[in-house]
Amino acid sequence: METRQPLVQSPNGAVELSNEEIARYSRHLIMPEVALDGQKKLKSARVLTIGAGGLGAPLAMYLAAAGVGTLGIVDFDVVDESNLQRQIIHGTSDVGRPKMESARDRINDINPNVHVEAYEDALSSENALEIFRDFDVIVDGTDNFPTRYLVNDASVLTGKPNVYGSIFRFEGQASVFWAEEGPCYRCLYPEPPPPGLVPSCAEGGVLGILPGAIGTIQATETVKLILGIGEPLIGRLLLYDALGMSFREMKLRKDPNCPVCGENPTVTELIDYQEFCGIPQANVQAVEDEVPEISVKELKDRLDNGDGVSVLDVREPHEYEVANIGARLIPLNELPERLAELDKDAPLAVHCKTGGRSARAVKLLQEAGFQNAFNVEGGITAWSEEIDPSVPKY
């Protein structure tokens, strides 16, 4: 097994293991690649995980079990029922609690020797550098492009390795971006995709087991970096296909023209990442604001009054099977070819799950001459919450 320079140097007696810890980590201690010295390095290590969600759950639990002494967690969300299918650090009784609280409780139960440092704020350009400086490894468990670029740039500027993972539906990716030894995230993805082109997990779904596979790979890479053993995923992108149960690997090269880690960097401080990714904070709901909207209560009143309004559902058929309100179904990607099925002059209320796709549909309809189409604010989720609780939320 190849030996690398460990991120955490030997504590030289400054850190000791109790008898309880020796018993707990016995299966590590009998491995020559870890042994007593390696376990002390793990205890001395400080690892920051960004997010306590799908990826953050397994990696935080396994890093705690492995004996990483300090785990920093950045998360300001609360536990929702839809999280429980994959975010195994939280349980049913945690619904409604801050994720930070339930994550801390679970980690303390797994290993009370681990110190949890909680950051219950959104990671931002204002706080990232200050937070990152005190940690040895940064592990990216985020699910959006602005935060991924923020994590990358802050890692480069502070000289920290960034253990990357991403998931969508049945596929996952993992790598280690460390500018001191190889490429960074921007070397792989110089520019973010146009807003709305890549659906989120909330829109496209994710197999609940998938983040377990990728999260444990991230945890493995983190431990290898701390101990200085094996061959980390520096300069390599691991691609996992759960349906085909296959792994592929792409070689990555450092881009000499990379704006943050290249030979002449132009990004020398953190920027506005919402703006960089084409979604300025002031215009996050720009598409929705451009089209007329109707609340679910207004829609219910108009339907009850029989004023001739029609309802169009632009979700996918498998979503319609889960929950629907009896509306006509034309998926958004089929709408341009099926406009002739709709009456241009009749009032048309368009809905999806939460209002994003339906807003794009209304804009498309307006451009095609439908002047009486409007977006249902909050979609079928709002209908379930405010009108008819018997309609399932998903």
Side-chain angles (χ1 to χ4, degrees):
M1 177 174 291
E2 182 176 342
T3 300
R4 302 175 54 86
Q5 185 67 23
L7 267 178
V8 178
Q9 300 302 314
S10 177
N12 293 325
V15 173
E16 298 296 337
L17 301 183
S18 67
N19 288 348
E20 182 273 331
E21 289 174 298
I22 289 175
R24 177 185 291 269
Y25 307 129
S26 62
R27 298 304 186 272
H28 276 175
L29 301 179
I30 60 177
M31 299 172 64
E33 296 85 358
V34 183
L36 184 62
D37 185 63
Q39 196 63 50
K40 289 181 179 181
K41 291 174 185 174
L42 290 171
K43 185 173 181 177
S44 300
R46 297 175 54 83
V47 176
L48 181 69
T49 67
I50 313 299
L55 293 171
L59 71 88
M61 292 167 68
Y62 270 108
L63 290 176
V68 170
T70 300
L71 279 178
I73 302 177
V74 181
D75 201 301
F76 65 99
D77 202 1
V78 298
V79 180
D80 183 79
E81 285 181 335
S82 65
N83 302 147
L84 302 180
Q85 160 255 18
R86 64 199 178 283
Q87 299 181 16
I88 58 172
I89 203 168
H90 314 295
T92 303
S93 62
D94 295 315
V95 171
R97 294 181 70 196
K99 288 184 179 179
M100 186 64 68
E101 291 183 8
S102 57
R104 183 194 286 114
D105 288 349
R106 184 74 182 100
I107 289 170
N108 288 339
D109 186 48
I110 291 172
N111 190 348
N113 301 297
V114 175
H115 171 63
V116 177
E117 293 189 3
Y119 299 90
E120 295 187 73
D121 295 303
L123 191 71
S124 69
S125 298
E126 287 70 40
N127 62 21
L129 295 178
E130 181 180 356
I131 295 174
F132 282 26
R133 284 194 180 99
D134 290 333
F135 290 90
D136 301 307
V137 186
I138 313 301
V139 191
D140 184 358
T142 62
D143 62 355
N144 63 86
F145 288 102
T147 310
R148 285 175 185 160
Y149 281 99
L150 168 60
V151 170
N152 176 79
D153 292 1
S155 297
V156 173
L157 294 176
T158 55
K160 311 294 183 180
N162 167 21
V163 182
Y164 161 79
S166 71
I167 51 174
F168 180 67
R169 302 196 69 190
F170 296 94
E171 298 179 349
Q173 299 180 357
S175 188
V176 174
F177 298 116
W178 195 0
E180 294 182 2
E181 296 199 20
C184 77
Y185 181 76
R186 282 184 186 254
C187 295
L188 175 62
Y189 298 114
E191 298 289 338
L197 179 64
V198 179
S200 67
C201 289
E203 293 179 321
V206 60
L207 181 69
I209 304 163
L210 181 66
I214 301 300
T216 51
I217 289 173
Q218 290 179 280
T220 303
E221 292 300 295
T222 301
V223 169
K224 287 161 57 182
L225 289 172
I226 293 169
L227 298 178
I229 61 174
E231 185 62 32
L233 286 172
I234 298 172
R236 297 184 290 154
L237 180 68
L238 189 66
L239 305 172
Y240 172 54
D241 177 0
L243 279 183
M245 194 48 67
S246 63
F247 287 89
R248 293 186 296 119
E249 184 179 292
M250 287 177 53
K251 296 292 185 182
L252 305 179
R253 293 183 179 179
K254 193 177 185 70
D255 180 2
N257 298 314
C258 176
V260 67
C261 79
E263 297 173 357
N264 298 293
T266 56
V267 177
T268 56
E269 60 184 18
L270 300 182
I271 62 175
D272 184 333
Y273 292 89
Q274 296 283 340
E275 183 77 36
F276 174 68
C277 292
I279 42 177
Q281 194 61 38
N283 296 315
V284 169
Q285 293 184 319
V287 175
E288 288 88 337
D289 293 342
E290 290 176 3
V291 300
E293 288 193 327
I294 185 174
S295 71
V296 289
K297 291 181 179 178
E298 291 174 308
L299 176 59
K300 179 67 163 58
D301 290 341
R302 294 186 64 170
L303 291 171
D304 290 344
N305 293 333
D307 71 352
V309 63
S310 299
V311 184
L312 174 65
D313 188 332
V314 295
R315 298 174 300 149
E316 295 299 312
H318 57 271
E319 294 178 89
Y320 191 90
E321 291 181 5
V322 174
N324 70 80
I325 57 175
R328 170 184 288 210
L329 175 66
I330 301 181
L332 178 59
N333 63 342
E334 299 179 15
L335 187 57
E337 288 75 38
R338 298 178 62 180
L339 293 175
E341 300 177 23
L342 304 172
D343 186 347
K344 279 190 177 182
D345 300 319
L348 183 63
V350 187
H351 85 82
C352 62
K353 182 182 179 184
T354 57
R357 283 173 286 175
S358 52
R360 296 197 294 272
V362 171
K363 188 170 182 62
L364 186 154
L365 288 166
Q366 287 180 326
E367 293 170 351
F370 288 76
Q371 299 304 315
N372 207 4
F374 38 89
N375 184 34
V376 179
E377 187 178 2
I380 198 169
T381 299
W383 185 276
S384 174
E385 292 173 344
E386 302 177 35
I387 306 299
D388 184 2
S390 69
V391 176
K393 288 173 59 179
Y394 65 98

